[in-house]
Amino acid sequence: MISSRGFTAPQIEPPASDVIDWRRHIHAHPELSYKEHATSDFVVEKLTSFGLSPERPTETSVTVLIQGRRPGSTVALRADLDALPLQEETGGSFASTVNGVMHACGHDAHTAMLLGTARVRSGLTDSFDGAVTLIFQHAEETPPGGAKELVGQGVLEGVDAIFGVHMANQATCTISVRKGVTSTVAGGFFATIKGQGSHASMPQNCADPVLVAAQIGYDAAV
């Protein structure tokens, strides 16, 4: 038996083969940010087949609440749906069928794993207190993207903690968590480099903005 803070359930055989099949299906049919129509439809279809009632906070995202036996804390688990504008050349049996689009960042696996979680957890509603919210986020690859939209739609209201579902280079059947808050952000900035011209006979009086920019780029890379 597994027992921890209100959760008691028998050992469960994970739907590994189904998760692999779902991942390969999603991998073969990638969609870019804000265009995850077939992917989100696939997620809704699977969640519904588990007896759950998924919702669509936005056109191409999906959420579902799995309520436990009694009131308690709410934990959110989040995966992402979108692929990248890359051409797949792996030659794999389930390679992308969409020209110029590929799941090269693992979102296909993230989504499949969260679907597997939904399937298992949907059968354990009488074994835990509180609730679990599953979030299938759209447009993760396009900042500020789907996360900002979902927060604006209130999907995190009442959520006590949230965990992102990701893959890692670890042994099979292991799970890693990091204590405290973990977050990353993709962004950038613009810098204006002002140079100073000079006559070719007096290069020492010149501040060449091209050389300065090249040095900044080199230092940043090193």
Side-chain angles (χ1 to χ4, degrees), residues 48-173:
T48 303
S49 73
F50 306 153
L52 300 174
S53 301
E55 298 181 354
R56 290 182 179 272
T58 66
E59 188 176 359
T60 58
S61 65
V62 183
T63 62
V64 67
L65 177 68
I66 305 176
Q67 184 65 54
R69 60 192 172 187
R70 289 189 294 265
S73 300
T74 297
V75 173
L77 303 176
R78 168 262 189 198
D80 27 28
L81 301 174
D82 53 337
L84 289 165
L86 297 172
Q87 181 65 38
E88 180 163 5
E89 298 178 352
T90 64
S93 60
F94 53 92
S96 172
T97 59
V98 182
N99 188 46
V101 183
M102 177 189 179
H103 271 295
C105 197
H107 295 187
D108 50 340
H110 300 169
T111 299
M113 289 189 293
L114 197 55
L115 284 175
T117 301
R119 178 168 162 180
V120 170
R121 188 59 89 161
S122 64
L124 298 174
T125 54
D126 60 349
S127 301
F128 66 94
D129 299 337
V132 179
T133 294
L134 306 183
I135 302 171
F136 296 84
Q137 180 196 320
H138 64 305
E140 191 274 342
E141 296 289 359
T142 309
K148 184 175 182 178
E149 290 186 346
L150 290 177
V151 171
Q153 290 294 323
V155 300
L156 294 185
E157 293 180 6
V159 171
D160 297 286
I162 183 169
F163 299 88
V165 179
H166 281 76
M167 297 184 297
N169 185 22
Q170 296 178 188
T172 303
C173 297

Side-chain angles (χ1 to χ4, degrees), residues 1-4 6-12 121 123-124 126-128:
M1 302 287 284
I2 302 173
S3 180
S4 177
F7 176 77
T8 304
Q11 290 283 359
I12 298 165
R121 188 59 89 161
L124 298 174
D126 60 349
S127 301
F128 66 94

Side-chain angles (χ1 to χ4, degrees), residues 5-24:
R5 295 192 178 183
F7 176 77
T8 304
Q11 290 283 359
I12 298 165
E13 186 68 27
S17 60
D18 288 332
V19 171
I20 291 172
D21 289 342
W22 298 334
R23 183 254 168 171
R24 291 180 175 181

Side-chain angles (χ1 to χ4, degrees), residues 184-204:
T184 60
V185 61
F189 64 92
F190 292 94
T192 300
I193 300 172
K194 296 182 179 180
Q196 176 176 306
S198 179
H199 192 274
S201 63
M202 294 180 288
Q204 70 276 11

